[in-house]
Amino acid sequence: QKPIDAMVLRKRLGNLLQKAIYLRQVELMSLSLQRYVSPRTEEMARIYATTRLLPGPRQQEVCVLFSDARGFSEMSRQLDPESLFRMLSEHLAAQVDLVYSQAGYIDKFAGDGIMAVFDGNKMALRACRCALEIMDMSRENAARTGSRINRLGIGIHMGPAIVGNLGSQNHLDYTLIGDTVNLATRLCGIANESIVASQTVCEAVADARDLNFSGKKSVAMRGYQEPVIVYEVTKRTASPG
């Protein structure tokens, strides 16, 4: 209303500034949350903040990739904590970038490796290509920077998993559980500086021209009554001519 009351104007401007500061804090918090959790976890947190309800668990088809640095325990005894932490952080950051470039997401860091999840169209193909890129990155970093994290094992398996919230009201983890996750980590365990994939993954990407599956073998796995057929994944080299 006119004439303008200076006291009312100051009050309203003050309220607008406070609202702007609050919205900026919310934006910064959202950006920080994105750095610490996966997009799926962030989405779940937003749903809960809005509805105060947690969606129930559901079964979903996924492709799970586990990576692990070989010889890391020995390395941790030889390097000072600061150097070790910096080297590992840089190595994991590079893996994260490669996972997201293939439209996957990080479920968690597993010590000196990652658990990555791929879903949707061509999930197995994207997981295999990501694994090959991770192996190449590791070798290139070692050659360029002298990084000692240059020996990796990667396991990949595809199948149904239960996706949902685990934990209590005080602490929740939005993650995957089930046989698909268990077998993927078992495959990572037997990978000898290589990429090991299940037969399910091999069959899903049988038409891929840039991938090669070799060394087929049956492996007895802890917790499995029947042997598991596995393959080693490598890049397919172009034939001469």
Side-chain angles (χ1 to χ4, degrees):
Q1 294 180 354
K2 297 181 180 179
I4 297 174
D5 187 306
M7 184 176 297
V8 173
L9 179 60
R10 283 196 298 269
K11 183 66 174 178
R12 290 185 176 178
L13 287 175
N15 289 339
L16 288 174
L17 287 173
Q18 288 295 325
K19 186 178 294 185
I21 292 171
Y22 172 75
L23 291 175
R24 179 56 178 165
Q25 290 174 338
V26 170
E27 181 184 4
L28 292 174
M29 180 62 71
S30 179
L31 292 173
S32 297
L33 188 63
Q34 292 173 9
R35 292 175 62 88
Y36 279 92
V37 300
S38 73
R40 306 306 196 276
T41 302
E42 182 188 6
E43 180 184 4
M44 191 59 52
R46 291 184 185 278
I47 291 174
Y48 181 72
T50 303
T51 66
R52 307 306 295 174
L53 296 174
L54 289 174
R58 71 182 191 279
Q59 183 168 289
Q60 181 181 348
E61 194 77 10
V62 294
C63 191
V64 180
L65 178 155
F66 276 94
S67 72
D68 181 69
R70 300 299 187 238
F72 187 79
S73 297
E74 179 182 355
M75 192 188 313
S76 64
R77 293 191 291 268
Q78 298 172 351
L79 297 176
D80 64 272
E82 184 176 347
S83 298
L84 181 70
F85 198 86
R86 182 176 63 254
M87 185 185 300
L88 179 59
S89 181
E90 292 173 353
H91 184 77
L92 293 177
Q95 290 193 50
V96 170
D97 290 342
L98 292 173
V99 168
Y100 280 102
S101 73
Q102 289 290 349
Y105 67 92
I106 303 298
D107 183 87
K108 61 174 64 70
F109 291 114
D112 49 23
I114 61 171
M115 172 184 169
V117 181
F118 300 81
D119 53 20
N121 295 332
K122 299 181 179 180
M123 64 180 83
L125 179 62
R126 290 185 281 111
C128 290
R129 287 174 175 169
C130 180
L132 290 168
E133 291 172 354
I134 289 174
M135 296 296 268
D136 288 344
M137 174 276 299
S138 179
R139 299 187 189 102
E140 290 169 2
N141 280 356
R144 187 180 70 257
T145 67
S147 171
R148 295 173 61 181
I149 306 179
N150 57 2
R151 297 184 296 120
L152 297 181
I154 296 178
I156 309 173
H157 181 49
M158 184 178 75
I162 305 299
V163 185
N165 295 282
L166 291 176
S168 68
Q169 291 296 323
N170 294 323
H171 183 85
L172 288 170
D173 186 16
Y174 187 68
T175 187
L176 289 78
I177 60 172
D179 185 65
T180 297
V181 178
N182 295 338
L183 184 53
T185 189
R186 296 279 195 278
L187 296 180
C188 180
I190 66 171
N192 183 21
E193 298 181 37
S194 60
I195 303 168
V196 174
S198 65
Q199 186 169 15
T200 306
V201 172
C202 177
E203 292 172 350
V205 296
D207 296 334
R209 297 183 178 182
D210 58 333
L211 302 177
N212 183 59
F213 289 81
S214 60
K216 177 182 178 180
K217 59 183 177 181
S218 296
V219 180
M221 295 281 187
R222 179 168 56 88
Y224 292 83
Q225 294 183 350
E226 300 294 330
V228 177
I229 298 176
V230 301
Y231 297 82
E232 183 174 334
V233 186
T234 56
K235 285 184 180 179
R236 179 173 293 176
T237 56
S239 57

